[in-house]
Amino acid sequence: MRDLAAAWRDLAGDSPAAGAVGAELIARWSEPHRRYHTLDHLRAVLAAIEPLAFLTRDPAAVRLAAWFHDAVYDGRPGWDEERSAQLAHSRLPRLVESAHARASGAGSVGTVARLVRLTAGHDPAPGDRDGEVLCDADLAVLAGPGYDAYARAVREEYRHVPDDAFRAGRARVLENLLAMPVLYRTEPARDLWESAARRNVHAELAALTAQPPGR
C-alpha cells in the first residue's frame, strides 16, 4: 500500500486535496468484491507504463488515467469505464490548480477522462500515443506468467454469470483479441509481450471450448 501512496504523491503532489483523492482511489481499488481489478492490477498497469513512457506526449495524464481507469468497477463493461471517467472529471479539478500539477503537465482533466474511456475497447486512434501506451499497459497482463491466475480472477469477478454464458462470452472476447492484427499498438510493447500474449490467449480459448456444456 505504501508503494502506491508514494507513487500517487509523486504524481499528484502532497496537498490535502491530493491526499484525499489518492486515499479515495486506493479505497476504491480495495473493494472486497474485486478479484482481478484490484490494487495488484493497478500496480501492474503503472509498472507496464514505465518501459513505454518515453513514447507519450503527456506521461502524467497517462499515469493519472491508469489510477482512474477501473476506479469504478461493478462488472459492467463500458459503463464502468464511463463512470470512472466521470469520477476523473469530478476529482481532478481539485488537483490541477496546484503548482505541482501544473508543473507536471497533469492539468488536462479532459485528456485523463478521454484516456480512461479508451480502456473500454482498447482501440486508440492511430497516432494517439498516450492512448496506445495506456491500452498496451492495461493489456500487458495477457503476456504474464501469471495468466492462469488472471483468468481465474476474471471468472471470480463474473461469478454471478452461469458457466455456459460465461464461457460463451469469454470465448467471444478472446476470439476478438486473436482476430486483431496486433494486440499491442506500440512497437516496444509488441517486442515485450505480443508472442507470449497470443500463446496465453490461445491456450485459454482452447480450454474454454474444450469444456462440455453444463460443466
Side-chain angles (χ1 to χ4, degrees):
M1 190 77 71
R2 292 181 66 184
D3 59 332
L4 283 173
W8 176 256
R9 285 194 301 272
D10 289 345
L11 178 61
D14 57 2
S15 69
V21 174
E24 179 187 359
L25 290 171
I26 287 173
R28 286 177 175 275
W29 283 92
S30 303
E31 291 165 337
H33 69 279
R34 296 172 182 247
R35 294 295 183 271
Y36 167 61
H37 294 90
T38 64
L39 290 171
D40 285 341
H41 174 59
L42 174 58
R43 288 187 184 95
V45 174
L46 291 169
I49 287 170
E50 293 313 302
L52 312 177
F54 73 96
L55 297 169
T56 62
R57 296 183 176 91
D58 191 343
V62 174
R63 293 184 177 99
L64 283 169
W67 275 89
F68 277 94
H69 82 286
D70 282 318
V72 177
Y73 186 75
D74 292 318
R76 300 169 65 184
W79 174 253
D80 292 337
E81 289 83 3
E82 178 58 32
R83 290 293 301 279
S84 296
Q86 292 173 8
L87 185 71
H89 270 297
S90 172
R91 301 299 189 263
L92 284 177
R94 302 182 192 179
L95 310 184
V96 298
E97 297 302 321
S98 72
H100 181 282
R102 287 197 301 271
S104 70
S108 176
V109 175
T111 296
V112 175
R114 179 186 70 79
L115 292 171
V116 170
R117 290 185 173 101
L118 279 178
T119 62
H122 299 99
D123 190 23
D128 177 7
R129 286 298 195 178
D130 292 343
E132 290 174 345
V133 166
L134 179 63
C135 290
D136 282 359
D138 195 29
L139 293 178
V141 64
L142 300 179
Y147 185 93
D148 289 346
Y150 148 73
R152 289 193 298 272
V154 170
R155 179 65 185 105
E156 276 293 300
E157 285 194 336
Y158 288 91
R159 56 193 175 277
H160 56 285
V161 179
D163 283 345
D164 289 349
F166 176 81
R167 284 203 306 275
R170 181 67 175 169
R172 284 194 298 273
V173 169
L174 300 176
E175 287 165 353
N176 289 338
L177 287 171
L178 292 172
M180 296 169 62
V182 290
L183 293 170
Y184 300 101
R185 302 305 181 94
T186 65
E187 184 175 352
R190 290 195 295 274
D191 291 343
L192 287 167
W193 304 317
E194 184 81 21
S195 295
R198 287 192 175 274
R199 285 195 301 272
N200 285 337
V201 173
H202 270 295
E204 184 188 358
L205 181 60
L208 282 173
T209 56
Q211 295 180 43
R215 293 294 300 276

